PDB file of all heavy atoms in Angstrom:
ATOM      1  N   LYS A 300     111.168  93.090 187.197  1.00 97.00           N
ATOM      2  CA  LYS A 300     110.244  94.173 187.525  1.00 97.00           C
ATOM      3  C   LYS A 300     108.788  93.718 187.418  1.00 97.00           C
ATOM      4  O   LYS A 300     107.941  94.045 188.271  1.00 97.00           O
ATOM      5  CB  LYS A 300     110.475  95.357 186.567  1.00 97.00           C
ATOM      6  CG  LYS A 300     111.806  96.063 186.748  1.00 97.00           C
ATOM      7  CD  LYS A 300     111.941  97.198 185.726  1.00 97.00           C
ATOM      8  CE  LYS A 300     113.258  97.931 185.872  1.00 97.00           C
ATOM      9  NZ  LYS A 300     113.393  99.034 184.870  1.00 97.00           N
ATOM     10  N   ARG A 301     108.510  92.940 186.374  1.00 96.00           N
ATOM     11  CA  ARG A 301     107.141  92.478 186.159  1.00 96.00           C
ATOM     12  C   ARG A 301     106.695  91.554 187.293  1.00 96.00           C
ATOM     13  O   ARG A 301     105.556  91.628 187.773  1.00 96.00           O
ATOM     14  CB  ARG A 301     107.052  91.770 184.818  1.00 96.00           C
ATOM     15  CG  ARG A 301     105.633  91.402 184.399  1.00 96.00           C
ATOM     16  CD  ARG A 301     105.524  91.061 182.910  1.00 96.00           C
ATOM     17  NE  ARG A 301     106.562  90.155 182.467  1.00 96.00           N
ATOM     18  CZ  ARG A 301     107.527  90.508 181.612  1.00 96.00           C
ATOM     19  NH1 ARG A 301     107.577  91.754 181.144  1.00 96.00           N
ATOM     20  NH2 ARG A 301     108.444  89.643 181.235  1.00 96.00           N
ATOM     21  N   ALA A 302     107.597  90.689 187.730  1.00 97.00           N
ATOM     22  CA  ALA A 302     107.255  89.760 188.812  1.00 97.00           C
ATOM     23  C   ALA A 302     106.960  90.514 190.104  1.00 97.00           C
ATOM     24  O   ALA A 302     106.003  90.185 190.831  1.00 97.00           O
ATOM     25  CB  ALA A 302     108.388  88.772 189.024  1.00 97.00           C
ATOM     26  N   LEU A 303     107.767  91.510 190.412  1.00 97.00           N
ATOM     27  CA  LEU A 303     107.507  92.306 191.618  1.00 97.00           C
ATOM     28  C   LEU A 303     106.139  92.972 191.531  1.00 97.00           C
ATOM     29  O   LEU A 303     105.351  92.961 192.506  1.00 97.00           O
ATOM     30  CB  LEU A 303     108.595  93.374 191.795  1.00 97.00           C
ATOM     31  CG  LEU A 303     110.013  92.894 192.119  1.00 97.00           C
ATOM     32  CD1 LEU A 303     110.941  94.098 192.254  1.00 97.00           C
ATOM     33  CD2 LEU A 303     110.051  92.062 193.395  1.00 97.00           C
ATOM     34  N   ALA A 304     105.843  93.563 190.360  1.00 97.00           N
ATOM     35  CA  ALA A 304     104.555  94.243 190.189  1.00 97.00           C
ATOM     36  C   ALA A 304     103.396  93.271 190.346  1.00 97.00           C
ATOM     37  O   ALA A 304     102.373  93.595 190.981  1.00 97.00           O
ATOM     38  CB  ALA A 304     104.510  94.926 188.828  1.00 97.00           C
ATOM     39  N   ASN A 305     103.570  92.065 189.782  1.00 97.00           N
ATOM     40  CA  ASN A 305     102.481  91.075 189.865  1.00 97.00           C
ATOM     41  C   ASN A 305     102.252  90.583 191.287  1.00 97.00           C
ATOM     42  O   ASN A 305     101.183  90.042 191.589  1.00 97.00           O
ATOM     43  CB  ASN A 305     102.782  89.892 188.954  1.00 97.00           C
ATOM     44  CG  ASN A 305     102.660  90.255 187.487  1.00 97.00           C
ATOM     45  OD1 ASN A 305     102.031  91.262 187.134  1.00 97.00           O
ATOM     46  ND2 ASN A 305     103.278  89.455 186.613  1.00 97.00           N
ATOM     47  N   ARG A 306     103.244  90.737 192.155  1.00 96.00           N
ATOM     48  CA  ARG A 306     103.072  90.319 193.556  1.00 96.00           C
ATOM     49  C   ARG A 306     102.882  91.519 194.474  1.00 96.00           C
ATOM     50  O   ARG A 306     102.940  91.379 195.695  1.00 96.00           O
ATOM     51  CB  ARG A 306     104.291  89.491 194.014  1.00 96.00           C
ATOM     52  CG  ARG A 306     104.345  88.102 193.393  1.00 96.00           C
ATOM     53  CD  ARG A 306     103.102  87.257 193.779  1.00 96.00           C
ATOM     54  NE  ARG A 306     103.181  85.892 193.277  1.00 96.00           N
ATOM     55  CZ  ARG A 306     102.652  85.494 192.149  1.00 96.00           C
ATOM     56  NH1 ARG A 306     102.020  86.373 191.354  1.00 96.00           N
ATOM     57  NH2 ARG A 306     102.742  84.232 191.769  1.00 96.00           N
ATOM     58  N   GLY A 307     102.698  92.682 193.861  1.00 96.00           N
ATOM     59  CA  GLY A 307     102.395  93.861 194.662  1.00 96.00           C
ATOM     60  C   GLY A 307     103.581  94.401 195.434  1.00 96.00           C
ATOM     61  O   GLY A 307     103.394  95.104 196.442  1.00 96.00           O
ATOM     62  N   ILE A 308     104.802  94.127 194.983  1.00 97.00           N
ATOM     63  CA  ILE A 308     106.006  94.611 195.658  1.00 97.00           C
ATOM     64  C   ILE A 308     106.539  95.803 194.869  1.00 97.00           C
ATOM     65  O   ILE A 308     106.823  95.675 193.669  1.00 97.00           O
ATOM     66  CB  ILE A 308     107.082  93.508 195.745  1.00 97.00           C
ATOM     67  CG1 ILE A 308     106.535  92.291 196.504  1.00 97.00           C
ATOM     68  CG2 ILE A 308     108.344  94.037 196.422  1.00 97.00           C
ATOM     69  CD1 ILE A 308     107.471  91.093 196.470  1.00 97.00           C
ATOM     70  N   PRO A 309     106.688  96.968 195.473  1.00 96.00           N
ATOM     71  CA  PRO A 309     107.179  98.155 194.751  1.00 96.00           C
ATOM     72  C   PRO A 309     108.612  97.924 194.243  1.00 96.00           C
ATOM     73  O   PRO A 309     109.444  97.368 194.959  1.00 96.00           O
ATOM     74  CB  PRO A 309     107.142  99.264 195.808  1.00 96.00           C
ATOM     75  CG  PRO A 309     106.221  98.766 196.864  1.00 96.00           C
ATOM     76  CD  PRO A 309     106.345  97.273 196.874  1.00 96.00           C
ATOM     77  N   PHE A 310     108.871  98.366 193.019  1.00 97.00           N
ATOM     78  CA  PHE A 310     110.225  98.280 192.472  1.00 97.00           C
ATOM     79  C   PHE A 310     111.073  99.413 193.032  1.00 97.00           C
ATOM     80  O   PHE A 310     110.667 100.572 193.032  1.00 97.00           O
ATOM     81  CB  PHE A 310     110.194  98.367 190.942  1.00 97.00           C
ATOM     82  CG  PHE A 310     111.557  98.543 190.323  1.00 97.00           C
ATOM     83  CD1 PHE A 310     112.475  97.503 190.334  1.00 97.00           C
ATOM     84  CD2 PHE A 310     111.932  99.763 189.759  1.00 97.00           C
ATOM     85  CE1 PHE A 310     113.743  97.662 189.774  1.00 97.00           C
ATOM     86  CE2 PHE A 310     113.191  99.931 189.192  1.00 97.00           C
ATOM     87  CZ  PHE A 310     114.107  98.875 189.207  1.00 97.00           C
ATOM     88  N   ASP A 311     112.254  99.068 193.529  1.00 96.00           N
ATOM     89  CA  ASP A 311     113.200 100.053 194.057  1.00 96.00           C
ATOM     90  C   ASP A 311     114.511  99.903 193.280  1.00 96.00           C
ATOM     91  O   ASP A 311     115.181  98.875 193.381  1.00 96.00           O
ATOM     92  CB  ASP A 311     113.427  99.805 195.550  1.00 96.00           C
ATOM     93  CG  ASP A 311     114.401 100.821 196.166  1.00 96.00           C
ATOM     94  OD1 ASP A 311     114.875 101.709 195.430  1.00 96.00           O
ATOM     95  OD2 ASP A 311     114.678 100.701 197.377  1.00 96.00           O
ATOM     96  N   GLU A 312     114.854 100.935 192.499  1.00 95.00           N
ATOM     97  CA  GLU A 312     116.058 100.824 191.677  1.00 95.00           C
ATOM     98  C   GLU A 312     117.322 100.656 192.523  1.00 95.00           C
ATOM     99  O   GLU A 312     118.354 100.180 192.028  1.00 95.00           O
ATOM    100  CB  GLU A 312     116.205 102.034 190.769  1.00 95.00           C
ATOM    101  CG  GLU A 312     116.410 103.347 191.501  1.00 95.00           C
ATOM    102  CD  GLU A 312     116.547 104.519 190.538  1.00 95.00           C
ATOM    103  OE1 GLU A 312     116.241 104.367 189.338  1.00 95.00           O
ATOM    104  OE2 GLU A 312     116.962 105.599 191.003  1.00 95.00           O
ATOM    105  N   GLN A 313     117.278 101.012 193.813  1.00 96.00           N
ATOM    106  CA  GLN A 313     118.416 100.800 194.696  1.00 96.00           C
ATOM    107  C   GLN A 313     118.682  99.322 194.948  1.00 96.00           C
ATOM    108  O   GLN A 313     119.771  98.938 195.395  1.00 96.00           O
ATOM    109  CB  GLN A 313     118.178 101.508 196.038  1.00 96.00           C
ATOM    110  CG  GLN A 313     118.032 103.018 195.937  1.00 96.00           C
ATOM    111  CD  GLN A 313     119.304 103.672 195.420  1.00 96.00           C
ATOM    112  OE1 GLN A 313     120.398 103.364 195.884  1.00 96.00           O
ATOM    113  NE2 GLN A 313     119.158 104.570 194.448  1.00 96.00           N
ATOM    114  N   MET A 314     117.676  98.491 194.661  1.00 97.00           N
ATOM    115  CA  MET A 314     117.810  97.041 194.881  1.00 97.00           C
ATOM    116  C   MET A 314     118.403  96.330 193.668  1.00 97.00           C
ATOM    117  O   MET A 314     118.502  95.107 193.643  1.00 97.00           O
ATOM    118  CB  MET A 314     116.448  96.435 195.219  1.00 97.00           C
ATOM    119  CG  MET A 314     115.870  96.913 196.539  1.00 97.00           C
ATOM    120  SD  MET A 314     116.751  96.234 197.962  1.00 97.00           S
ATOM    121  CE  MET A 314     115.930  94.650 198.128  1.00 97.00           C
ATOM    122  N   VAL A 315     118.821  97.116 192.654  1.00 97.00           N
ATOM    123  CA  VAL A 315     119.428  96.539 191.440  1.00 97.00           C
ATOM    124  C   VAL A 315     120.894  96.954 191.390  1.00 97.00           C
ATOM    125  O   VAL A 315     121.219  98.135 191.527  1.00 97.00           O
ATOM    126  CB  VAL A 315     118.707  97.011 190.166  1.00 97.00           C
ATOM    127  CG1 VAL A 315     119.408  96.463 188.927  1.00 97.00           C
ATOM    128  CG2 VAL A 315     117.242  96.569 190.198  1.00 97.00           C
ATOM    129  N   TYR A 316     121.774  95.960 191.196  1.00 97.00           N
ATOM    130  CA  TYR A 316     123.210  96.225 191.086  1.00 97.00           C
ATOM    131  C   TYR A 316     123.690  95.707 189.728  1.00 97.00           C
ATOM    132  O   TYR A 316     123.420  94.563 189.353  1.00 97.00           O
ATOM    133  CB  TYR A 316     123.986  95.531 192.213  1.00 97.00           C
ATOM    134  CG  TYR A 316     125.463  95.855 192.215  1.00 97.00           C
ATOM    135  CD1 TYR A 316     125.926  97.001 192.862  1.00 97.00           C
ATOM    136  CD2 TYR A 316     126.379  95.040 191.563  1.00 97.00           C
ATOM    137  CE1 TYR A 316     127.282  97.327 192.865  1.00 97.00           C
ATOM    138  CE2 TYR A 316     127.739  95.356 191.549  1.00 97.00           C
ATOM    139  CZ  TYR A 316     128.184  96.494 192.199  1.00 97.00           C
ATOM    140  OH  TYR A 316     129.517  96.806 192.190  1.00 97.00           O
ATOM    141  N   GLU A 317     124.421  96.558 189.006  1.00 97.00           N
ATOM    142  CA  GLU A 317     124.909  96.178 187.673  1.00 97.00           C
ATOM    143  C   GLU A 317     126.168  95.315 187.792  1.00 97.00           C
ATOM    144  O   GLU A 317     127.208  95.770 188.258  1.00 97.00           O
ATOM    145  CB  GLU A 317     125.228  97.416 186.833  1.00 97.00           C
ATOM    146  CG  GLU A 317     125.662  97.064 185.409  1.00 97.00           C
ATOM    147  CD  GLU A 317     125.991  98.294 184.571  1.00 97.00           C
ATOM    148  OE1 GLU A 317     126.190  99.381 185.153  1.00 97.00           O
ATOM    149  OE2 GLU A 317     126.062  98.160 183.333  1.00 97.00           O
ATOM    150  N   GLY A 318     126.069  94.061 187.373  1.00 96.00           N
ATOM    151  CA  GLY A 318     127.204  93.145 187.400  1.00 96.00           C
ATOM    152  C   GLY A 318     127.883  93.049 186.046  1.00 96.00           C
ATOM    153  O   GLY A 318     127.715  93.917 185.180  1.00 96.00           O
TER     154      GLY A 318
END
Side-chain angles (χ1 to χ4, degrees):
K300 292 179 180 180
R301 188 164 47 247
L303 293 180
N305 289 341
R306 288 299 184 265
I308 301 172
F310 169 70
D311 181 1
E312 64 180 13
Q313 298 297 313
M314 294 288 276
V315 177
Y316 184 85
E317 183 180 17

